[in-house]
Amino acid sequence: MIYDLIIIGTGVAGLSAGLYAGRYKMKTLLIGSPFGGETAKAGSIWNYPGARGVDGYDLMRIMEAQAKNVGVEIIEGKVTKTLAEGHCFKITVDGKEYVSKTLILTNGAERRRLGLPNETALANKGVHYCVTCDGPVYVGKVVAMVGGGDAAVKGVNLVSQYAKKVYLLVRGKELKAEPINQSEMEKLGDKVEILFETAVTEIIGTDKLEKVVLSRTHDGSNELVLDGLFVEIGVIPDREFSDSLKLGTDERGYIIVDKSMKTNVDGVFAAGDATDFFGSFKQIVTAAAMGAVAATSAYQDAKTHGELCQLHWLPAK
Amino acid sequence: MWFNNNGSVNNMATVKIYSTPWCTFCRMAKDFFKEHNVTYTEYDVSVDEKSRAEMLERSKQSGVPVIDIDGELVIGFDKSRVFTLLGIK
């Protein structure tokens, strides 16, 4: 069987694309793991229109149900191979091959790490990348958040509900968070201490995090004793599929798309955090919009060029 | 544990999950247990001090979820290991 569309990624962009594709009556397969992308880990969401204070995980389950409701098949698994051949796209998941006339990549991006020695060894032993998940474990403890963007400030607001002291370590001279989230943080008073122009240069601990070394002194020392360190310093795009499909990317690895979310390869579209279409403004609302546009473009493409895949495709013997 | 006539797992294992309220993988694990009719007990370590100490001591790490299946610890939602320990095919 040949699908009209395969979507890789089960975050907002992928599920939004699935909803639109299903409504276009496209035979659509959505592949991804883990479920829900970054939104599922976002906690309460207050900036997505029409869903006041919705929980990110619940929002993603609603989007999943909407996509399934219009006939989209969803499978959980890791894509191990992608191949473009005569306007056919062959996607291998756990040893099984699926074929499609069009492809939308919404595989997102990975959390950026500090890149310091000891960081991997102490992951989940004091060093964390999901504050909504692991922040609540640090009841009554001293923690630090690394980052100066919205995710870092939202993370501080969340972990402050549990920790007794939170340091926000900002490399630059100012914060780049939504003003409303900054206002929330300011209400926390002395519990939160912001150290600007401060980077973590070393992570120290054996079985668990003990302290970090800072790029500048604080209270007479460049060492900061911590129970937990949370890292929210943005994302780096996953290049796996863009490399294998020879997609055009920018210097940071984001897939280049035009206003219809089309890549440089016919029949391949991209949406969400895998692209840099809206620059650093990576929001649920922008990902959803990109997914909808990508599905609409894939629909037009499949109508125009879909028969090329059927002409070229030979089922595996 | 044993399988009933319709092939779904009928789990007699004792399953505990140490979790926090917004943890995605905790919620995926709980959805998975519900889907497979696995009875589990949840311990919210953000409010349950005793369970938090127990989780940290037993797992030697501070990430959630930690799943206990008949005394075997699974750190994170390692689906294939959970499948194996529950005998789900």
Side-chain angles (χ1 to χ4, degrees), chain A residues 203-280:
Chain A
I203 297 172
I204 296 170
T206 45
D207 295 331
K208 64 176 187 176
L209 174 70
E210 291 164 19
K211 58 190 172 185
V212 296
V213 178
L214 304 176
S215 60
R216 57 185 289 180
T217 57
H218 168 66
D219 281 346
S221 171
N222 67 344
E223 290 187 348
L224 191 60
V225 176
L226 295 171
D227 297 300
L229 179 73
F230 292 88
V231 181
E232 286 285 359
I233 53 171
V235 294
I236 45 174
D238 181 350
R239 302 184 71 126
E240 190 181 347
F241 303 124
S242 52
D243 286 351
S244 64
L245 292 166
K246 298 184 172 54
L247 303 181
T249 59
D250 68 14
E251 69 282 0
R252 291 167 300 163
Y254 287 105
I255 299 168
I256 296 169
V257 289
D258 66 13
K259 64 183 181 183
S260 65
M261 299 294 125
K262 186 180 183 309
T263 70
N264 60 311
V265 175
D266 283 345
V268 181
F269 305 84
D273 290 355
T275 79
D276 202 28
F277 191 74
F278 288 101
S280 61

Side-chain angles (χ1 to χ4, degrees), chain A residues 135-151:
Chain A
V137 177
Y138 286 85
V139 179
K141 302 292 185 183
V142 178
V143 303
M145 172 71 65
V146 185
D150 201 49

